[in-house]
Amino acid sequence: MIASTAPAGKGPAGKGSHRQSQVDPLAPLRAPQDPPWDVYLTGTVFLDIIFTGLDSAPVRGTESWARGMGSSPGGVANMATALARLGLRTSLAAAFGDDHYGDYCWDALEHGEGIDLSPSRTVPGWHSPVTVSMAYEGERTMVSHGHEPPPEEPAPACPPRARAAVASLAPGVSAPWIAQAASKGTRVFGDVGWDDTGAWDLAELPDLRHCEAFLPNAEEAMRYTGADCPRAAAHALTEHVPLAVVTLGADGAYAVDRRTGETAEVPAIEVEALDPTGAGDVFVAGFVTGTLADWPLADRLAFAGLTAALSVQEFGGSLSAPGWSEIAAWWRRVQSVEGQDREALRRYGFLAGLVSEELDRPWPLRRAVPTIGFRRSA
């Protein structure tokens, strides 16, 4: 396991003009006939309010004070922001509330991160869903509130052409846009949440057949396959999807590619976690980036794990996602750690061809802020 250093650097919080990613990981592969978007997403945008610095979980009948607080777009915005900050041209279809929260999230994503919101819309009279997340002891507890948007919101009937799409699969639910996207050559990456039905039946994930890759965590993978270990579960999943990636928490991640017979396992990076909110989305974004860039499987796993590790050292879901400047700063600093495991360090040697000295500078990424809507001074 590679030892890390302190966070790579924090940019000023709050509003600011969008800065294009300093690295385009797909530059060698781009051609005039390419789809206009690298990744398409659809889902629900939440306003996340995050409390950090809690010594323990809130106790019934008492009041707890947090030492830190931040607000940021959440839900599908976590994935969209992580992809955009890694240099992928990202298009998002989402419903936004007709309120200040919705205005804030739209501005943060469109102008702050450069995400295409042309398939999105504001729904009159619909308030933004909200999640309150409390981070403590490396874990989190969340409370959410919201209502379903009108049935026609937000996914368009025909998703735009894109290299890839990330789809959140749910038991018993089929989303027509997934099959439509796959039929146009879009590579679909499926993630999944906890099965509240308790069935854990892969046949209840009808859109899995349209996916190129499936990325559950270890517990989800074992429950869906009945395997007694995550690695066996990953192999079992390749009977249903070409590429299975199983996250192993503190042990890293394991992947199997049925098409090539290749397997890869990369250990986690040791970090001091401040807030794990959105780390799974950042992992998926890192893996999608490496896949579209045609990197070796082990490099994709290592990059996904690195981006997730950098994200948990910040708080705020979407706005904790790292950019290339932070990745470059981590790569410079980690090489100077005394007693570093050289073999583990070589696992990340592929970064040397992606980052440069010019990138190792502060980059004013937006971060989660305690409040929204400060009046601008004249």
Side-chain angles (χ1 to χ4, degrees):
M1 184 178 287
I2 193 168
S4 188
T5 60
K10 300 179 181 179
K15 298 202 173 199
S17 60
H18 170 64
R19 285 167 172 76
Q20 295 292 335
S21 172
Q22 301 119 308
V23 172
D24 180 359
L26 306 189
L29 305 176
R30 295 200 185 278
Q33 69 273 20
D34 285 346
W37 306 112
D38 296 327
V39 187
Y40 169 74
L41 299 165
T42 185
T44 303
V45 173
F46 287 73
L47 174 75
D48 281 356
I49 301 172
I50 308 98
F51 292 102
T52 63
L54 291 164
D55 295 322
S56 63
V59 178
R60 181 179 179 180
T62 67
E63 181 179 16
S64 300
W65 279 80
R67 291 186 289 275
M69 174 186 167
S71 303
S72 66
V76 72
N78 295 342
M79 183 79 70
T81 301
L83 290 162
R85 289 185 173 186
L86 293 178
L88 298 188
R89 300 168 184 173
T90 304
S91 183
L92 171 64
F96 286 79
D98 186 21
D99 52 20
H100 288 305
Y101 290 171
D103 291 344
Y104 162 74
C105 290
W106 187 293
D107 177 74
L109 297 176
E110 183 178 56
H111 298 112
E113 305 298 336
I115 295 166
D116 168 55
L117 296 182
S118 59
S120 297
R121 66 220 66 186
T122 297
V123 181
W126 183 65
H127 75 77
S128 299
V130 176
T131 292
V132 175
S133 177
M134 293 161 281
Y136 54 88
E137 299 174 355
E139 297 293 339
R140 60 178 176 164
T141 297
M142 297 185 293
V143 178
S144 297
H145 172 73
H147 301 281
E148 290 291 328
E152 68 274 13
E153 312 288 348
C158 296
R161 289 180 59 237
R163 296 173 187 263
V166 180
S168 183
L169 308 181
V173 177
S174 180
W177 75 265
I178 297 176
Q180 293 169 5
S183 69
K184 298 177 182 178
T186 297
R187 305 165 72 176
V188 181
F189 295 75
D191 67 0
V192 70
W194 191 257
D195 184 357
D196 291 329
T197 71
W200 297 103
D201 184 358
L202 287 170
E204 289 296 306
L205 300 178
D207 290 325
L208 185 60
R209 67 182 184 273
H210 302 300
C211 295
E212 172 176 327
F214 186 45
L215 299 96
N217 64 32
E219 185 65 23
E220 293 160 351
M222 290 189 292
R223 286 179 179 265
Y224 269 119
T225 61
D228 58 3
C229 81
R231 293 160 187 80
H235 285 273
L237 286 172
T238 59
E239 297 177 10
H240 305 270
V241 66
L243 177 57
V245 181
V246 176
T247 54
L248 309 175
D251 292 327
Y254 182 81
V256 184
D257 191 329
R258 181 186 70 204
R259 297 162 299 189
T260 64
E262 185 181 8
T263 64
E265 183 168 2
V266 174
I269 297 173
E270 286 183 339
V271 295
E272 183 176 348
L274 173 64
D275 176 16
T277 304
D281 295 317
V282 175
F283 180 95
V284 174
F287 189 82
V288 170
T289 300
T291 301
L292 295 184
D294 202 25
W295 297 348
L297 185 57
D299 289 355
R300 287 181 259 165
L301 281 186
F303 185 72
L306 169 59
T307 54
L310 292 177
S311 77
V312 302
Q313 296 179 85
E314 302 283 352
F315 71 93
S318 64
L319 302 186
S320 70
W324 281 101
S325 181
E326 293 172 306
I327 294 167
W330 177 86
W331 176 237
R332 305 289 174 221
R333 295 179 186 185
V334 77
Q335 294 178 79
S336 63
V337 173
E338 187 175 350
Q340 185 67 271
D341 183 339
R342 307 312 296 180
E343 183 63 31
L345 194 61
R346 278 192 287 274
R347 172 61 272 158
Y348 298 87
F350 67 94
L351 291 174
L354 292 166
V355 299
S356 63
E357 294 289 347
E358 290 73 24
L359 284 176
D360 194 359
R361 299 173 301 186
W363 181 29
L365 291 172
R366 288 186 174 197
R367 294 300 184 199
V369 293
T371 189
I372 59 177
F374 274 128
R375 292 187 178 87
R376 294 174 179 171
S377 57

